[in-house]
Amino acid sequence: MSAADWRWAQDHLPILCVDVLPIATIDGQRHIGLIEREHPEGTMVWCHLGGRVWRGETIAEAIRRHLNETLSGAEVHVPDEPQPQLVMQWFPERRDGLTHSGVDPRKHAVALCFVLPVAPAACVSDGGEGLKFRWFAAGDEKRVPLWRGTDSMIDALAL
């Protein structure tokens, strides 16, 4: 798809995405894995992993692709027919009154959200959108700048 066609699609259609929150038990405590990346507005933020589902790609294939593109050492089992724990909506601007919504200045997206156990040895892959990968003990992620909506996802999933 050309850049112009992709821009048109983002401007006119909801885009299907998969969002993944890696979890691990480290020293007996649950941790959430987040990547640090550049926000489209130029700031650095921490956020979940994921992205769009390609035409003809299964949900499981999309999850595996995004995990492999973003993390190295990510030992994770993805079922062939995974069921999301949450569905989120992402809008170019915040929609008041929607409980599970986030902000993505680039597009309107509908995301199937998954929580998946990942080996604690995971780290960010070279060349992906993530610049760093870090495990956060439950609640510690609220002390860093988050992509607007990642906090809603974590809260809704009771992590």
Side-chain angles (χ1 to χ4, degrees), residues 49 66-75 118-126 133 135:
L49 287 67
H66 285 291
L67 285 170
N68 289 332
E69 287 175 356
T70 307
L71 298 179
S72 60
E75 297 174 23
V118 172
C123 61
V124 73
S125 293
D126 291 334
F133 178 78
W135 290 108

Side-chain angles (χ1 to χ4, degrees), residues 58-82:
T58 69
I59 299 301
E61 290 167 343
I63 292 169
R64 290 183 194 111
R65 177 174 55 82
H66 285 291
L67 285 170
N68 289 332
E69 287 175 356
T70 307
L71 298 179
S72 60
E75 297 174 23
V76 59
H77 169 72
V78 179
D80 290 335
E81 296 291 335

Side-chain angles (χ1 to χ4, degrees), residues 134-147:
R134 180 175 154 197
W135 290 108
F136 290 87
D140 286 352
E141 78 283 351
K142 298 191 185 290
R143 299 178 190 175
V144 297
L146 294 173
W147 187 289

Side-chain angles (χ1 to χ4, degrees), residues 30-137:
R30 178 178 273 196
H31 283 67
I32 300 166
L34 299 174
I35 58 170
E36 185 179 43
R37 62 172 292 185
E38 187 173 354
H39 190 274
E41 296 170 348
T43 60
M44 300 303 293
V45 294
W46 290 89
C47 71
H48 55 281
L49 287 67
R52 70 183 170 119
V53 177
W54 291 343
R55 187 178 190 283
E57 185 176 48
T58 69
I59 299 301
E61 290 167 343
I63 292 169
R64 290 183 194 111
R65 177 174 55 82
H66 285 291
L67 285 170
N68 289 332
E69 287 175 356
T70 307
L71 298 179
S72 60
E75 297 174 23
V76 59
H77 169 72
V78 179
D80 290 335
E81 296 291 335
Q83 297 300 308
Q85 284 94 348
L86 177 69
V87 176
M88 292 237 348
Q89 302 177 83
W90 299 87
F91 296 96
E93 64 279 330
R94 186 66 143 191
R95 299 288 178 108
D96 291 333
L98 293 179
T99 306
H100 304 306
S101 69
V103 176
D104 188 331
R106 303 164 298 182
K107 64 185 176 289
H108 171 199
V110 176
L112 307 177
C113 304
F114 300 88
V115 176
L116 294 172
V118 172
C123 61
V124 73
S125 293
D126 291 334
E129 66 186 8
L131 303 174
K132 295 178 189 173
F133 178 78
R134 180 175 154 197
W135 290 108
F136 290 87

